Every structure is written in structure tokens, then in C-alpha cells.
């Protein structure tokens, strides 16, 4: 469903849903590939600076994953 449908009910809920990194990717792909009149991810989240939220989540998840792997890399063969 388009994010505009959520925005008609609650703009705050739309902004919260757009904090998901996957929602940002899907909304931007929808704008670029399917419907040029659809909102961009920056418009849907409420401004370009708010895109730092999903970017920060993505960076944090990658960093935590790397640190976890780095810590257990020496013993991963024995644990499998």
C-alpha cells in the first residue's frame, strides 16, 4: 500500500513508519521506478534531515553485526 494512504489517517504514523530503512528504500524505489508523482522518501519522512534516522539505524546494525562477528570469528568453526 502507498505511504500516502497512511498519511491521510495520521501524518505522525507516516513519519514513524518511514523510520524503517526498508520503508525508505521501497518508497524511493517506488518514486524512481513506478510513479514519479509519488512522494520521495525525504518528503514521506518529513524532511531530508530526518533521513538520518534510518541511515543511523542501518549503520548501527552493520556495526553491531561486524563487532559481533569479529568477536566470535576465532571460535566460529568450533561452534558450528
Amino acid at each position: 500500500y502507498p505511504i500516502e494512504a497512511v498519511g491521510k489517517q495520521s501524518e505522525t504514523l507516516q513519519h514513524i513508519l518511514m523510520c524503517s530503512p526498508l520503508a525508505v528504500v521501497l518508497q524511493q524505489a517506488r518514486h524512481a521506478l513506478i510513479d514519479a508523482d509519488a512522494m520521495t522518501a525525504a518528503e514521506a519522512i518529513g524532511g531530508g534531515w530526518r533521513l538520518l534516522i534510518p541511515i543511523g539505524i542501518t549503520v548501527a546494525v552493520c556495526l553491531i553485526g561486524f563487532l559481533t562477528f569479529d568477536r566470535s570469528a576465532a571460535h566460529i568453526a568450533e561452534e558450528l
Side-chain angles (χ1 to χ4, degrees):
Y1 58 90
I3 196 69
E4 291 90 353
V6 176
K8 290 178 184 176
Q9 300 297 321
S10 170
E11 193 171 317
T12 304
L13 181 60
Q14 174 183 326
H15 293 172
I16 291 170
L17 289 174
M18 287 301 296
C19 287
S20 166
L22 184 58
V24 171
V25 170
L26 291 175
Q27 183 64 28
Q28 196 60 34
R30 179 174 179 252
H31 172 74
L33 301 173
I34 298 171
D35 184 13
D37 293 331
M39 282 197 268
T40 63
E43 292 169 349
I45 201 169
W49 65 273
R50 286 188 179 173
L51 285 174
L52 292 175
I53 297 169
I55 291 171
I57 291 171
T58 303
V59 169
V61 167
C62 288
L63 185 62
I64 290 169
F66 174 76
L67 293 174
T68 302
F69 176 78
D70 191 47
R71 185 174 42 132
S72 63
H75 306 288
I76 203 158
E78 290 85 16
E79 292 178 13
L80 291 176

